[in-house]
Amino acid sequence: MSLSFFFAEISIEENLEQFLIVLSVSLTVATISRFFSWFRQIPYTLLLVIVGLGLAFVNIRLIDLSPELILEIFLPPLLFEAAWNIKWDELKKNFLPVILLATIGVVICVIGVSFSLSYFTTMPIAIALLVGASLSASDPVAVVALFRELGASKKLTTLLEGESLLNDGVAVVAFVLLVSIPLGKHTFSLTNSITQFSTFVGIGVAVGLLIGFGISYLTQRFDLPLVEQSLTLVSAYGVYLVTEKLGGSGVIGVVVVGLILGNFGSRIGMNPRTRLIVSEFWEFLAFLVNSIIFLLIGDQINFTDLITHLDLIFVAIIALIVTRLIAVFALSYISNLITIVDINLREQTVLWWGGLRGSVSIALALSVPSILSERQEVIETVFGVVLFTLLVQGLTTKLFLEKLNLIGNQAIKQEYSELLARRFALNKVLDYLTAIPLDKNPDIDPEFYSYEQKLIEGQRTTIEEKIVDLQQKNPELKDISMKKLRENLLNIEADTYAELILKGELNNDLSPILQEIIAQEKSDL
């Protein structure tokens, strides 16, 4: 055995041990948080940051947090899972405010934070621009989890999640454009910057569309859940790497391919069972990645360095809060004038306060070239601001939702929708049982058949009683029943088209037309 192979083997073993320690701590936090009611009031991701801070305080370092690890391993699954689950119909309704916040909002943040740091501190403007670009990427994982738990409106969740999906790509592109300025490689030119930005985004969108639609039509040819699940994983990482190699934005590419596969590919190429398997797989992967990354964010904090740069952190925090306020309220006002979607002042307040910063900001800060003498200032400033947004804004967002009365009865509506879905599924199971001729299936025990039938009927009866009880207490829920019926009919229609395409009884060329018809019907709901 060669010496180099021996040391490589030791390195692999050490990395595996570190990974297992991080994963064990994360899962322990997840488990303990379910046992104590007080812990359940805090979003799981914020608990991980707090635990990581505790480990950093006693100087226990779990693992080195490299930007390459976040950008190339952690970021694609996080973005893909969010894009896979976001509903295109909801995003389309709120597309203008999302685009405004994800583009102009990023510009406002970069300018506001960078010029504040340059004016009120001794930080050079070229370095301050890197801080502004790093902090322009929002990371609402903790807040969105809180929205879903408390039952905030779909509009509020879509606005925050949609903005984060798109502004990550814009922020990364802005950072790449600005990082060359302090290195003396380029001088700032508005024309060149717009051209480069368009190129980055254009390549990302093009590769995302190509791979997304390619896999969508590929999965029509077979029905293999594990293969289709693997294809989504390959597409998430593949589109990121390919786009980056071609000089585009891998973040934009992942978002595009996730939106296509989640809203189009899974409809025409996957049966309902496969869609469920793939969704559960990505839910697990996102949980795993978030568990690791938020723990490591807290673990990487160096308290001594943070105290040294308190003046920079304080100015950056104030600048970020003010610029976020200007961006949200001004752009929401413009959006309200142009579109029929009305973002009221209460919703704007939550959008302002819920604009947390997280993994992408830290990854960008850590990727500042070591040749820059101010690199550590950038890292500590960004770390300090991220810590503030996660712990102060993240832990008080629930209070904002409660005081502004934005929780409503969304949780009851969600429970009611789930009961309707379960009743629909059980009815299909009973229809299947009824269709089985016992006289032609002697291998089926009649007693076992009767037991299973009564068991399903009992479950359905229990669910129907819960549905009636909720309807009596909340009469407005009956509107959901009618809407759910319409949605089920449309889903059956869409699944039937997909099945006919898979069987070769329907021409593939008709698929986009049929999808357009279904999309139009859905818009009439």
Side-chain angles (χ1 to χ4, degrees):
M1 180 184 296
S2 67
L3 194 61
S4 60
F5 182 80
F6 173 74
F7 283 115
E9 201 172 48
I10 292 176
S11 177
I12 292 172
E13 185 177 348
E14 288 178 351
N15 289 334
L16 182 59
E17 288 176 357
Q18 289 178 323
F19 174 75
L20 289 175
I21 291 172
V22 171
L23 188 57
S24 298
V25 173
S26 302
L27 295 179
T28 300
V29 174
T31 304
I32 293 177
S33 66
R34 296 298 94 187
F35 283 106
F36 300 99
S37 58
W38 187 84
F39 284 128
R40 286 199 291 270
Q41 305 301 314
I42 305 174
Y44 164 63
T45 49
L46 296 188
L47 276 177
L48 289 169
V49 175
I50 295 170
V51 171
L53 281 173
L55 294 174
F57 186 76
V58 296
N59 203 28
I60 296 176
R61 302 295 173 180
L62 296 175
I63 194 171
D64 290 331
L65 187 67
S66 69
E68 291 80 11
L69 190 67
I70 294 177
L71 290 176
E72 294 183 7
I73 298 180
F74 288 166
L75 197 54
L78 287 177
L79 293 170
F80 185 91
E81 189 270 342
W84 170 275
N85 285 312
I86 200 167
K87 302 300 181 191
W88 173 248
D89 292 336
E90 291 293 327
L91 184 61
K92 187 168 61 174
K93 291 177 186 175
N94 303 281
F95 197 67
L96 181 62
V98 165
I99 285 293
L100 289 174
L101 289 169
T103 53
I104 299 176
V106 168
V107 174
I108 292 173
C109 176
V110 173
I111 294 174
V113 172
S114 58
F115 279 90
S116 297
L117 284 170
S118 176
Y119 184 81
F120 292 105
T121 71
T122 58
M123 180 176 283
I125 184 62
I127 303 299
L129 284 167
L130 297 183
V131 177
S134 299
L135 292 174
S136 63
S138 60
D139 188 357
V141 173
V143 174
V144 169
L146 189 65
F147 281 3
R148 289 170 179 166
E149 182 181 338
L150 296 177
S153 68
K154 284 185 178 179
K155 181 175 72 173
L156 201 54
T157 304
T158 302
L159 285 170
L160 201 61
E161 201 165 19
E163 178 202 357
S164 174
L165 270 177
L166 298 180
N167 79 1
D168 282 350
V170 177
V172 171
V173 173
F175 183 87
V176 171
L177 293 175
L178 294 171
V179 76
S180 59
I181 296 176
L183 294 174
K185 294 181 180 180
H186 298 286
T187 56
F188 180 78
S189 167
L190 183 61
T191 305
N192 290 340
S193 297
I194 292 174
T195 302
Q196 278 188 278
F197 179 83
S198 302
T199 302
F200 286 146
V201 173
I203 293 174
V205 172
V207 175
L209 288 171
L210 183 64
I211 294 180
F213 283 114
I215 291 179
S216 297
Y217 288 111
L218 180 63
T219 53
Q220 291 182 25
R221 305 298 178 184
F222 49 78
D223 183 20
L224 299 170
L226 293 179
V227 174
E228 294 173 73
Q229 175 181 292
S230 302
L231 279 173
T232 62
L233 182 63
V234 170
S235 69
Y237 283 104
V239 74
Y240 183 89
L241 295 174
V242 170
T243 307
E244 290 290 321
K245 289 290 184 183
L246 294 175
S249 171
V251 172
I252 295 292
V254 173
V255 170
V256 171
V257 81
L259 282 170
I260 291 172
L261 291 179
N263 291 275
F264 177 73
S266 62
R267 284 289 176 187
I268 70 166
M270 299 180 185
N271 62 46
R273 176 174 56 90
T274 302
R275 286 202 299 269
L276 181 61
I277 291 173
V278 175
S279 296
E280 288 178 345
F281 166 74
W282 280 104
E283 183 180 357
F284 160 74
L285 194 58
F287 165 77
L288 180 65
V289 171
N290 274 317
S291 298
I292 296 172
I293 202 167
F294 277 91
L295 178 65
L296 294 180
I297 285 175
D299 182 56
Q300 293 296 304
I301 298 295
N302 190 312
F303 290 99
T304 304
D305 289 339
L306 285 184
I307 293 172
T308 305
H309 298 96
L310 273 180
D311 57 333
L312 296 174
I313 294 171
F314 178 77
V315 171
I317 289 172
I318 298 300
L320 182 64
I321 290 175
V322 172
T323 54
R324 175 73 181 173
L325 184 146
I326 294 171
V328 169
F329 283 86
L331 296 177
S332 295
Y333 176 77
I334 294 172
S335 174
N336 289 344
L337 290 177
I338 300 173
T339 68
I340 59 173
V341 177
D342 180 65
I343 308 173
N344 59 49
L345 289 176
R346 293 178 301 150
E347 292 169 332
Q348 292 175 35
T349 303
V350 173
L351 287 174
W352 159 60
W353 194 248
L356 310 186
R357 269 51 182 170
S359 56
V360 178
S361 295
I362 287 178
L364 292 175
L366 288 172
S367 65
V368 172
S370 56
I371 193 174
L372 291 177
S373 57
E374 300 90 351
R375 179 177 185 270
Q376 200 58 35
E377 289 184 1
V378 174
I379 292 174
E380 299 306 332
T381 304
V382 172
F383 261 78
V385 176
V386 168
L387 194 60
F388 173 85
T389 63
L390 288 175
L391 295 184
V392 177
Q393 292 179 249
L395 292 175
T396 54
T397 298
K398 180 181 179 181
L399 181 64
F400 273 73
L401 287 169
E402 291 174 342
K403 294 297 183 182
L404 295 172
N405 196 28
L406 286 172
I407 295 177
N409 63 347
Q410 192 66 24
I412 297 174
K413 290 181 179 179
Q414 179 65 27
E415 180 187 358
Y416 185 73
S417 297
E418 290 175 357
L419 288 172
L420 291 178
R422 287 194 64 195
R423 184 178 67 178
F424 180 76
L426 290 176
N427 282 333
K428 294 190 72 173
V429 173
L430 285 172
D431 290 341
Y432 173 78
L433 282 173
T434 305
I436 297 177
L438 289 179
D439 56 334
K440 295 182 179 179
N441 292 274
D443 53 322
I444 298 178
D445 186 351
E447 291 185 6
F448 178 77
Y449 175 91
S450 178
Y451 169 78
E452 288 293 327
Q453 190 176 37
K454 288 179 180 178
L455 181 65
I456 301 298
E457 288 174 348
Q459 292 176 351
R460 186 180 62 175
T461 300
T462 302
I463 289 172
E464 286 178 344
E465 289 173 355
K466 291 180 180 179
I467 290 173
V468 171
D469 183 56
L470 284 175
Q471 285 178 344
Q472 290 175 345
K473 294 178 181 177
N474 307 274
E476 70 276 8
L477 292 178
K478 291 184 178 180
D479 293 335
I480 297 180
S481 295
M482 291 182 283
K483 185 177 180 181
K484 199 69 180 177
L485 174 62
R486 183 77 182 277
E487 288 178 354
N488 286 334
L489 294 175
L490 288 173
N491 286 334
I492 292 172
E493 182 182 356
D495 290 340
T496 303
Y497 292 143
E499 186 178 345
L500 291 172
I501 291 171
L502 287 170
K503 290 180 178 179
E505 297 179 15
L506 191 63
N507 194 312
N508 288 340
D509 295 335
L510 295 178
S511 181
I513 299 174
L514 295 176
Q515 286 293 320
E516 187 176 339
I517 293 171
I518 295 170
Q520 181 61 43
E521 290 176 345
K522 282 187 175 182
S523 66
D524 296 334
L525 285 175

